[in-house]
């Protein structure tokens, strides 16, 4: 099994060396650097457009491309899901090629909602939570997004993208996206008393529901959550 995992893309191999093979730190670091120059990571970086975006959009591809595949659902090839993949691959954010790509996103990518700069976030907590994760990882200022999320936490401890439409009950999916972002930001910056309290409230929201069950009945909320998938995008599962 170990040999099979090591005979793979650098995005997998460096994490296997770190987490399973207990390889020396310098060996792990050298393999991680290859994510930006070989295999999946390098291919994704090469697909970035001159406008700093992937597929011409922030959350969705540019209109012509999106309409051509709309009946097949979201194709997940735009800037947000691509940066999420690079993050999940563990691409080294300090590598020059990666830094230049992220700076191009910062300077050129705008949200479909109202033209907001990418790392300023938009209106949906499930998106803004991921922006906090990505901004923290790629060394971008997302303090304003964190502040917005703290002000949008619902009474039950979580978040819901439908809150702007009147929902007062949290969503597992929105909550996990925000929770992961707050935790990443807290680990990187130390957080604040308010952000730590919000993060703990979100954890309690999920724990009260045993991570995937209805609080009222104990039933599994969605059987799809028991299936492990990658990439998860904004979706929730028990992992």
């Amino acid at each position: 099994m170990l040999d099979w995992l090591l005979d793979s893309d650098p995005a997998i191999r460096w994490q296997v060396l770190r987490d399973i093979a207990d390889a020396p730190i310098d060996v792990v670091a050298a393999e991680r650097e290859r994510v930006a120059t070989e295999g999946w990571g390098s291919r994704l970086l090469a697909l970035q457009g001159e406008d700093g975006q992937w597929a011409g959009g922030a959350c969705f591809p540019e209109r012509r491309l999106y309409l051509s595949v709309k009946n097949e659902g979201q194709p997940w090839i735009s800037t947000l899901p691509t940066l999420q993949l690079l993050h999940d691959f563990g691409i080294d954010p300090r590598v020059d090629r990666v830094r230049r790509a992220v700076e191009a996103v910062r300077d050129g990518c705008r949200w479909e909602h109202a033209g907001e700069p990418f790392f300023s976030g938009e209106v949906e907590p499930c998106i803004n939570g991921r922006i906090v994760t990505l901004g923290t990882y790629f060394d971008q200022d997302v303090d304003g997004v964190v502040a917005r999320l703290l002000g949008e936490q619902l009474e039950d401890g979580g978040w819901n993208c439908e809150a702007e439409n009147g929902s007062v009950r949290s969503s597992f999916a929105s909550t996990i996206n925000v929770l992961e972002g707050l935790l990443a930001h807290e680990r990187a910056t130390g957080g604040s008393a308010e952000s730590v309290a919000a993060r703990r409230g979100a954890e309690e929201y999920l724990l009260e529901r045993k991570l995937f069950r209805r609080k009222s009945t104990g039933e599994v909320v969605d059987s799809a959550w028991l299936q492990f998938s990658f990439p998860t995008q904004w979706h929730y599962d028990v992992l």
Side-chain angles (χ1 to χ4, degrees):
M1 175 66 76
L2 179 59
D3 290 341
W4 177 72
L5 289 170
L6 290 173
D7 184 23
S8 59
D9 190 89
I12 294 176
R13 193 159 51 240
W14 85 266
Q15 298 183 71
V16 174
L17 289 169
R18 180 193 63 184
D19 299 336
I20 301 177
D22 197 25
I25 293 176
D26 59 333
V27 173
V28 173
E31 188 64 33
R32 186 185 183 193
E33 285 190 9
R34 295 174 62 191
V35 178
T37 59
E38 301 177 28
W40 302 334
S42 179
R43 287 166 59 189
L44 285 177
L45 289 173
L47 291 171
Q48 186 177 25
E50 293 183 1
D51 60 359
Q53 304 183 112
W54 276 269
C59 187
F60 300 97
E62 55 92 12
R63 181 174 175 80
R64 177 188 56 80
L65 179 58
Y66 182 56
L67 289 177
S68 71
V69 298
K70 188 172 183 180
N71 291 335
E72 302 172 21
Q74 160 70 288
W76 304 116
I77 57 174
S78 58
T79 304
L80 174 60
T82 301
L83 280 183
Q84 188 72 58
L85 270 178
L86 292 172
H87 164 274
D88 294 345
F89 289 167
I91 201 165
D92 191 337
R94 298 164 297 183
V95 172
D96 284 344
R97 187 183 183 191
V98 178
R99 291 173 65 91
R100 291 195 301 271
V102 172
E103 289 170 357
V105 171
R106 180 196 64 202
D107 297 340
C109 186
R110 297 293 182 269
W111 288 104
E112 291 85 357
H113 169 257
E116 306 97 330
F118 186 82
F119 288 108
S120 295
E122 46 115 92
V123 295
E124 296 192 28
C126 62
I127 287 179
N128 287 342
R130 283 181 285 167
I131 292 306
V132 173
T133 296
L134 295 174
T136 300
Y137 187 79
F138 290 112
D139 196 26
Q140 298 297 307
D141 181 7
V142 288
D143 288 348
V145 189
V146 171
R148 175 176 183 138
L149 289 169
L150 297 184
E152 294 174 339
Q153 189 170 25
L154 299 175
E155 289 188 9
D156 59 10
W159 286 263
N160 192 333
C161 289
E162 292 300 319
E164 63 176 320
N165 297 321
S167 177
V168 296
R169 299 173 63 185
S170 293
S171 152
F172 282 77
S174 296
T175 299
I176 194 64
N177 281 294
V178 177
L179 175 55
E180 289 175 345
L182 291 180
L183 182 58
H185 188 262
E186 182 181 326
R187 286 173 171 170
T189 69
S192 64
E194 293 78 13
S195 68
V196 171
R199 187 259 301 166
R200 289 174 175 167
E203 291 172 343
E204 188 62 27
Y205 168 85
L206 294 176
L207 290 173
E208 285 180 342
R209 292 156 179 80
K210 306 296 189 293
L211 301 182
F212 62 99
R213 297 184 180 276
R214 297 186 187 279
K215 185 178 179 181
S216 57
T217 66
E219 296 177 346
V220 175
V221 176
D222 186 338
S223 60
W225 294 357
L226 304 180
Q227 301 174 359
F228 308 144
S229 58
F230 182 86
T232 56
Q233 308 300 352
W234 61 268
H235 300 287
Y236 186 88
D237 66 36
V238 295
L239 288 181

